[in-house]
Amino acid sequence: MTGAVGAGGPPRSVARSLDAAGILDSRLRADVEHCRRLHALHGRTYYLATWLLPADRRPAVWSLYGFFRTADELVDAVPTPDPRLLRDWTAGARAAVAGETSEDPSVRALVSVLDRHDLDPALVESFLRSMLMDLDVTGYRTYDDLLEYVEGSARVVGLMMLPVLGTAPGVTQEEAAPYAALLGEAFQLTNFVRDVGEDLVRGRLYLPEDDLAASGLTRDDLLTARAADPPPPAVVALLDREIGRCHDLYTQAEPGIALLDPRTRPGVRAAFTLYRRILDEVRSQGYPVLRRRVTVPRPRRAAVAVGAVAGGAGARIVH
């Protein structure tokens, strides 16, 4: 996890973003570029939305994503490689936040964001605790139980993004924080629906057992249903329950977009719309998430980006 992603220098538009953010040190520029390439490779929805942000905000978002993604890749590799890889990486990240040096570019990029945007290190610690939970916890009985994991894996991610995005004049971060946490939770639950089949193969399930029971299902039933096309009605009922919960969270989080810096709203609005649309695609494509990942088709992603540009004062995508 310490090498650069890809080879060659960043595109000129990326270099301009680094310049705008005041990132002039060559090693830090390489660290952020490492994170950006992770973002472009693994997070197409979010990555498109970052180009609707002001140039000086993009590097911090890329850096945060790169850090989160590096942790996620280590989690998803368990249990095939030694789980000590995740534990050792977590220990190294904690040490770096405390002031020690790191050999991981994503960790160095994170520390730079912490310093530049005065982020609370306790948020990083909460995130790392949730990542370590994946070593031992493979399921959750109730939604309240799941929220213990989501607090660190998603809600604090929204809180870490908030100082980077900024708030509107007269709006404090304390006022905007509940909405940022809710949006992080909505994005994470959308991931749980989209990735349920992949997670099952890895031995994990992030849909509450109580929800399965309400649809007359067990985890073994879901594993069996991976071979069914279309999925059984009980699986459709379960997924509709989870999708409904996600939509409720998006509805609760949406007013928070108006509390953000007007220059960052188009990017957040695009991410909000694109991620919420994944849920619509799950339904329109026949609930295939036990067999494969559902994505928003490229033309629809582009249309959302164009709409965000049209609706945002001064927003533009730089190529």
Side-chain angles (χ1 to χ4, degrees), residues 197-218:
E198 296 176 8
D199 290 332
L200 277 169
V201 171
R202 297 185 181 110
R204 302 190 194 99
L205 182 63
Y206 297 102
L207 308 186
E209 294 171 9
D210 280 1
D211 289 357
L212 268 69
S215 297
L217 295 167
T218 65

Side-chain angles (χ1 to χ4, degrees), residues 28-90:
L28 182 55
R29 287 171 77 95
D31 292 343
V32 176
E33 173 62 2
H34 169 90
C35 293
R36 183 194 69 83
R37 294 191 184 192
L38 283 174
H39 198 171
L41 180 64
H42 296 288
R44 291 175 295 177
T45 297
Y46 285 134
Y47 185 67
L48 174 63
T50 63
W51 289 103
L52 296 170
L53 295 174
D56 64 333
R57 311 296 176 89
R58 297 171 198 149
V61 177
W62 295 331
S63 296
L64 289 174
Y65 182 94
F67 176 76
F68 300 143
R69 185 69 202 191
T70 299
D72 195 50
E73 288 292 297
L74 288 168
V75 167
D76 286 346
V78 173
T80 304
D82 193 327
R84 284 179 296 182
L85 289 173
L86 177 61
R87 292 193 178 98
D88 290 348
W89 181 85
T90 299

Side-chain angles (χ1 to χ4, degrees), residues 1-173:
M1 289 295 174
T2 59
V5 178
R12 281 180 295 179
S13 55
V14 175
R16 286 195 294 268
S17 298
L18 295 168
D19 292 342
I23 299 175
L24 305 179
D25 177 77
S26 59
R27 187 173 82 158
L28 182 55
R29 287 171 77 95
D31 292 343
V32 176
E33 173 62 2
H34 169 90
C35 293
R36 183 194 69 83
R37 294 191 184 192
L38 283 174
H39 198 171
L41 180 64
H42 296 288
R44 291 175 295 177
T45 297
Y46 285 134
Y47 185 67
L48 174 63
T50 63
W51 289 103
L52 296 170
L53 295 174
D56 64 333
R57 311 296 176 89
R58 297 171 198 149
V61 177
W62 295 331
S63 296
L64 289 174
Y65 182 94
F67 176 76
F68 300 143
R69 185 69 202 191
T70 299
D72 195 50
E73 288 292 297
L74 288 168
V75 167
D76 286 346
V78 173
T80 304
D82 193 327
R84 284 179 296 182
L85 289 173
L86 177 61
R87 292 193 178 98
D88 290 348
W89 181 85
T90 299
R94 285 170 167 159
V97 170
E100 297 185 20
T101 59
S102 173
E103 295 301 316
D104 189 306
S106 71
V107 173
R108 293 195 299 262
L110 168 78
V111 171
S112 176
V113 175
L114 293 179
D115 293 341
R116 287 171 177 268
H117 295 277
D118 195 27
L119 298 187
D120 184 354
L123 299 176
V124 181
E125 176 58 28
S126 181
F127 171 79
L128 294 174
R129 281 200 305 270
S130 283
M131 296 303 97
L132 290 172
M133 285 176 66
D134 278 317
L135 293 178
D136 303 307
V137 182
T138 61
Y140 299 87
R141 188 177 65 84
T142 68
Y143 186 67
D144 285 343
D145 294 336
L146 178 64
L147 282 180
E148 180 183 355
Y149 175 81
V150 170
E151 177 64 32
S153 69
R155 290 176 63 87
V156 300
V157 172
L159 295 176
M160 291 172 72
M161 283 288 296
L162 182 57
V164 173
L165 297 171
T167 55
V171 176
T172 66
Q173 289 193 18

Side-chain angles (χ1 to χ4, degrees), residues 248-263:
D248 287 344
L249 287 169
Y250 282 113
T251 298
Q252 294 173 53
E254 187 170 14
I257 299 176
L259 304 182
L260 298 175
D261 183 332
R263 296 175 299 164

